[in-house]
């Protein structure tokens, strides 16, 4: 218990430290800068330390169980930079599905409808299943398998993630499947009925 409490204190201290860095970045950039450049933040080099720090803060909050607060940060960063050079939409989709925020997941899937990644393909499968639309879930499953068949083993629990995570991935390869499982694995695991369905799907 003491060790757990100590770890909790260290995590909270780290969160507050990163939060302070984010706040300092906001003060340095200024309200007018945010208003004038909202929508294309990442294209301005001086915003990148702030965006990286805020993404780190969101990740820390999610890891500490404060997922709702984390989601607010991810949503705000996508408003600042809809092009999403940081790939935050994948993390956000996983959080939406974990939290059963299906309307928000639908909006995100629609917003980035041209995204052909395994993360969105397999996220769409889970989304359709959670909506209770079995026919569309099977259609989405077929497309996801075509796009990246390796992801299914990780999401269904048939295969464990490797200890050494890949540094890069390409569309359709096993490294992308690992990245997909990192972003969506918790959401699938949160819904054992979906995992059971996936294991039995022809």
């Amino acid at each position: 218990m003491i060790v757990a409490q100590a770890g909790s204190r260290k995590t909270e201290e780290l969160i507050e430290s990163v939060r302070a860095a984010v706040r300092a970045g906001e003060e340095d950039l200024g309200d007018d800068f945010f208003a004038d450049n909202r929508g294309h933040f990442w294209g301005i080099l001086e915003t990148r330390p702030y965006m990286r720090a805020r993404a780190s803060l969101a990740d820390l909050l999610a890891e500490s169980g404060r997922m709702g607060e984390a989601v607010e940060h991810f949503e705000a960063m996508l408003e600042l930079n809809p092009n999403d050079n940081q790939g935050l939409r994948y993390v956000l989709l996983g959080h939406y599905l974990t939290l059963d925020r299906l309307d928000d997941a639908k909006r995100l899937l629609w917003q980035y409808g041209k995204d052909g990644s395994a993360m969105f393909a397999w996220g769409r499968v889970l989304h359709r299943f959670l909506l209770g639309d079995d026919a569309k879930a099977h259609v989405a499953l077929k497309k996801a398998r075509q796009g990246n068949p390796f992801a299914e083993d990780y999401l269904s629990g048939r295969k464990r993630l490797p200890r050494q995570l890949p540094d890069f991935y390409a569309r359709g390869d096993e490294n992308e499947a690992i990245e997909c499982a990192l972003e969506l694995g918790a959401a699938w695991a949160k819904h054992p009925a979906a995992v059971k369905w996936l294991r039995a799907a022809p």
Side-chain angles (χ1 to χ4, degrees):
M1 178 66 75
I2 294 174
V3 173
Q5 290 175 344
S8 177
R9 281 199 302 272
K10 287 182 179 179
T11 299
E12 192 58 34
E13 288 171 3
L14 180 57
I15 287 174
E16 291 310 312
S17 176
V18 177
R19 194 192 301 276
V22 169
R23 194 176 299 119
E26 290 170 345
E27 292 173 356
D28 287 343
L29 293 171
D31 292 341
D32 290 342
F33 183 92
F34 275 80
D36 292 342
N37 297 291
R38 183 178 303 274
H40 51 272
F41 237 54
W42 191 261
I44 305 169
L45 292 179
E46 63 193 283
T47 69
R48 294 185 184 182
Y50 165 77
M51 293 291 278
R52 291 188 181 104
R54 194 165 184 183
S56 295
L57 174 60
D59 285 335
L60 286 167
L61 289 167
E63 290 168 8
S64 67
R66 293 150 70 175
M67 198 171 289
E69 191 177 349
V71 162
E72 291 177 5
H73 283 286
F74 286 124
E75 290 173 337
M77 282 186 284
L78 285 181
E79 289 180 8
L80 292 172
N81 181 46
N83 286 335
D84 190 25
N85 306 77
Q86 295 170 280
L88 304 178
R89 61 188 180 274
Y90 304 132
V91 187
L92 183 56
L93 179 61
H95 290 341
Y96 280 154
L97 293 172
T98 299
L99 295 169
D100 291 315
R101 290 174 56 169
L102 302 185
D103 287 343
D104 289 323
K106 179 181 179 179
R107 173 182 51 77
L108 190 67
L109 289 165
W110 179 85
Q111 181 180 355
Y112 297 98
K114 294 183 179 180
D115 186 307
S117 68
M119 285 70 82
F120 263 42
W122 286 96
R124 193 171 285 109
V125 175
L126 180 57
H127 181 252
R128 299 288 188 269
F129 176 85
L130 295 178
L131 287 173
D133 194 330
D134 190 66
K136 287 187 178 180
H138 275 95
V139 170
L141 176 59
K142 182 179 180 181
K143 291 182 179 179
R145 283 170 167 169
Q146 291 172 345
N148 191 311
F150 302 105
E152 183 168 352
D153 283 342
Y154 292 105
L155 296 173
S156 66
R158 294 191 184 100
K159 195 170 184 178
R160 294 178 180 273
L161 289 171
R163 291 185 179 181
Q164 184 67 40
L165 298 177
D167 294 323
F168 58 88
Y169 64 84
R171 288 284 172 88
D173 70 8
E174 188 158 5
N175 284 352
E176 186 194 32
I178 292 170
E179 183 67 23
C180 179
L182 288 171
E183 305 298 3
L184 300 180
W188 279 88
K190 173 75 181 303
H191 300 93
V195 174
K196 183 179 179 180
W197 170 83
L198 180 60
R199 281 175 170 263

